Amino acid sequence: MNAAYRGRFAPTPSGPLHFGSIVAAVGSYLEARTHGGEWHLRIDDLDRPRVVPGAVDSILRCLEQLGFEWDGPVIYQSQRTPAYHAALHQLRQRGLVYPCACSRKDIAEHAVMGVEGPVYPGTCRDGMLPGREARAVRLRTTGARAEFEDGVLGLQARDIEHEAGDFVLYRADGVFAFHLASAVDDGELGMTDIVRGADLLESSARQIYVLGLLGLPVPRYAHLPIAVNASGEKLSKQTHAEPIDPCQPARVLVPALRFLGQAPPQELSGVNIRVLWDWAATNWRLARVPKTSSSLSE
Ligand SMILES: [Zn+2]
């Protein structure tokens, strides 16, 4: 694997694709294609209770019908757990992780708020209280920082220790956390460019830190605006975003291109999918992608 550009789209199979996921797919796909690179598809199916039966098939069928063509076999995170175990083992050997017995309630009582919820107060850093059982494995973030040049948002700098705190890499119920799994996959599978929604901007900082600790190559990042509903909530399965109609590609792809600032001409809505993708590949410019999230009602 030595492509100069290797990107990926990594949906969670907790339901059918919605407009927000299509925006991320379109952005990452066009960046890969206009760089002559590879575009891989990864299914983030580690959190088994969240995986909805039939969702993987629905996602694959939808992407096919929208004319996306991915390289290589589909990567399933559920088949990559030996790699995550090895990464966690390596961090444990170096004393960089520790077991934590705290419940959400324990943490809420002692924590200050960070960029995304409470910052872990460090209760179990020097060992759990006697008689308590580990609920999670956390990463030490003492002095942790991440700095990166985002392809859309420009220079980003994060003080992970104070903004996020020691974060969870593994849960006692046997699930590897997104930050560990995603970092290991991107690093080990040679992804050079991560293009995804800005809702994952803080995650990227943590993943860059994990990649550095594991000695894996750090990809370039570009974070796309996220689609929100009229009340300003991110479109997601949780906010009951309407699943898209995969049988009508132009009705999904043209609005996604418009949302990404690419100004597709109105007549693209009536053309066949090949012509539409040709137009998109010829005219795609990451520099036109807006920095801020917006509502679809525009
Ligand atoms: Zn703890």
Side-chain angles (χ1 to χ4, degrees):
M1 287 208 230
N2 54 5
Y5 187 110
R6 185 177 286 117
R8 89 300 193 273
F9 173 57
T12 302
S14 54
L17 293 175
H18 54 80
F19 185 75
S21 25
I22 290 301
V23 165
V26 167
S28 63
Y29 187 63
L30 287 171
E31 266 298 278
R33 288 293 175 249
T34 54
H35 283 86
E38 295 178 0
W39 188 73
H40 294 266
L41 185 58
R42 187 181 88 201
I43 301 292
D44 285 8
D45 57 351
L46 280 182
D47 199 346
R48 301 309 292 183
R50 284 188 62 206
V51 172
V52 171
V56 172
D57 285 346
S58 134
I59 288 170
L60 298 182
R61 202 169 52 241
C62 179
L63 291 172
E64 271 170 10
Q65 289 180 16
L66 291 174
F68 288 96
E69 292 171 352
W70 53 89
D71 294 291
V74 177
I75 302 153
Y76 291 89
Q77 287 198 316
S78 57
Q79 293 170 9
R80 296 223 352 111
T81 50
Y84 312 144
H85 274 293
L88 189 65
H89 179 72
Q90 189 197 131
L91 297 172
R92 191 178 282 125
Q93 296 284 79
R94 292 155 61 198
L96 294 170
V97 298
Y98 60 88
C100 166
C102 300
S103 64
R104 272 173 197 274
K105 187 165 163 284
D106 295 332
I107 294 168
E109 279 169 6
H110 297 100
V112 292
M113 287 307 283
V115 284
E116 281 183 337
V119 175
Y120 181 66
T123 320
C124 307
R125 228 182 221 172
D126 302 315
M128 297 184 292
L129 288 173
R132 298 201 68 186
E133 249 178 64
R135 287 167 175 261
V137 174
R138 288 182 185 273
L139 179 68
R140 292 184 198 279
T141 57
T142 311
R145 301 186 58 80
E147 204 173 278
F148 60 105
E149 183 69 32
D150 187 276
V152 173
L153 301 172
L155 186 66
Q156 302 293 311
R158 293 293 183 281
D159 173 344
I160 298 168
E161 177 181 8
H162 296 104
E163 293 171 359
D166 294 356
F167 54 90
V168 171
L169 296 186
Y170 185 69
R171 300 197 323 233
D173 59 2
V175 176
F176 285 94
F178 171 67
H179 301 306
L180 181 73
S182 191
V184 169
D185 288 342
D186 290 338
E188 288 190 359
L189 304 179
M191 298 302 158
T192 62
D193 288 79
I194 309 304
V195 179
R196 58 186 182 184
D199 51 321
L200 293 170
L201 183 62
E202 303 306 325
S203 299
S204 294
R206 278 169 250 183
Q207 288 169 31
I208 288 168
Y209 183 61
V210 171
L211 285 160
L213 291 176
L214 293 170
L216 292 168
V218 176
R220 290 176 290 261
Y221 289 82
H223 290 86
L224 306 173
I226 53 167
V228 295
N229 63 19
S231 20
E233 298 166 307
K234 181 196 161 197
L235 288 189
S236 68
K237 288 135 203 162
Q238 287 74 35
T239 55
H240 306 293
E242 295 261 316
I244 56 160
D245 180 355
C247 301
Q248 303 211 25
R251 290 185 60 178
V252 179
L253 296 174
V254 172
L257 288 165
R258 188 172 298 131
F259 183 82
L260 289 167
Q262 305 301 309
Q266 197 54 51
E267 55 268 28
L268 267 193
S269 301
V271 303
N272 80 44
I273 196 165
R274 279 292 120 231
V275 176
L276 193 154
W277 277 118
D278 283 348
W279 181 91
T282 307
N283 291 280
W284 170 257
R285 300 287 181 277
L286 188 66
R288 291 198 195 121
V289 172
K291 289 179 167 45
T292 49
S293 299
S294 59
S295 154
L296 288 177
S297 51
E298 284 171 18

